[in-house]
Structures are given as structure tokens and as C-alpha cells.
Amino acid sequence: MLKNIPKNLSPELIKVLMEMGHGDEIVIADGNYPAASNAKKLVRCDGLGVPELLESILKLLPMDTYQEYSIGLMKVAEGDPTIPVIWDDYKKIIKEAAVENEKIELITRQEFYDRGKEAYAIVATGEEAIYANILLKKGVVH
């Protein structure tokens, strides 16, 4: 055991976060996301929700300040009446984490999937909310 590491972050996920370099992206995916079929590296966090993982990951992961956006959300598909209220939770978590770059980009579903396929890793969660996927771009530690 180590001190100051959030207990919901597995050794595998800590290793992935440490291996990532500046500009690498990681997707924290909801339960509907095709994580296993799209991941270069898949980290299973079944039973955990995206908000609790996001909060823990942001304690360790610096956000990219060299790009306009360091955070991406999957945009609601045109014609879909869903209002992803979970995004309000994300915005609160991001604000409280005082990340280096809190600008959020809305990414179309297909582009999000394409970026997920290129991401360093995809974290598969048991999150039941839809449009709960979030992409984080790693920055540098100064």
C-alpha cells in the first residue's frame, strides 16, 4: 500500500497513468462504450462510476496546457433528447480539482470513437449514465 493514492485506482490504472506521456489521451468510458473492441490498452474498473474515477485520476494526472482543450465529452447525437446531467458532476469535479486546463470540448460520437481507438488507454467502468464518456489529455508536470 502507498499513502495518498486514491483507493479506487488499481495498480494497473496507476501504471497506465504513469506510462502516459505529454499529449497522450485516456478515455474513461461508461458501461455502453465499446471499450474492449476499441482499446489499445484496456483497464477494467467494473462496478465503479465515471465521476468517482475522474475525481481520483485528476488528483494525479496533469492536464495539457499546450492545446486549447484538455478534456473532451461525447456530444449528444443530433435528434437525441438526452440531457447528460452527469456533465454537471464532471464540471464540479474539474473545478474542485483546479486542473491546469479546464476547457471542455464536445466531440461527435464517431470522432470520440476514433480518438478512443488512438488513446493510450480506455478505462471501462460500470457507469450507467449515457453520454458519460470523458477523454483526458495528459499535460506536463512543471
Side-chain angles (χ1 to χ4, degrees):
M1 295 197 52
L2 298 172
K3 299 190 304 186
N4 302 318
I5 302 288
K7 302 219 182 309
N8 62 349
L9 299 183
S10 68
E12 180 186 14
L13 183 50
I14 297 288
K15 179 180 181 287
V16 164
L17 295 173
M18 290 186 72
E19 288 173 342
M20 291 173 64
H22 178 224
D24 281 340
E25 295 181 330
I26 188 167
V27 172
I28 310 171
D30 64 35
N32 288 304
Y33 190 90
S37 62
N38 286 317
K40 287 182 182 179
K41 263 185 204 195
L42 178 64
V43 179
R44 303 251 17 144
C45 289
D46 304 290
L48 295 177
V50 174
E52 63 189 290
L53 277 176
L54 177 63
E55 185 175 354
S56 294
I57 287 170
L58 290 180
K59 291 178 183 193
L60 305 177
L61 190 73
M63 303 299 346
D64 193 0
T65 58
Y66 292 89
Q67 300 292 317
E68 183 176 0
Y69 300 102
S70 63
I71 302 165
L73 298 173
M74 183 184 285
K75 184 190 279 189
V76 176
E78 193 171 321
D80 186 336
T82 301
I83 298 171
V85 294
I86 198 165
W87 292 1
D88 293 333
D89 296 336
Y90 295 172
K91 290 172 185 168
K92 181 179 179 216
I93 291 165
I94 291 162
K95 190 69 143 172
E96 288 174 358
V99 298
E100 298 82 356
N101 179 0
E102 60 184 45
K103 290 181 87 174
I104 298 172
E105 170 183 21
L106 292 179
I107 305 167
T108 66
R109 182 173 159 263
Q110 190 55 55
E111 184 185 348
F112 198 100
Y113 286 152
D114 291 343
R115 285 178 67 180
K117 288 175 185 176
E118 296 302 315
Y120 188 82
I122 297 175
V123 180
T125 73
E127 181 60 58
E128 294 180 5
I130 59 174
Y131 294 104
N133 307 299
I134 187 166
L135 183 141
L136 305 173
K137 185 182 286 284
K138 187 175 184 180
V140 297
V141 175
H142 294 282

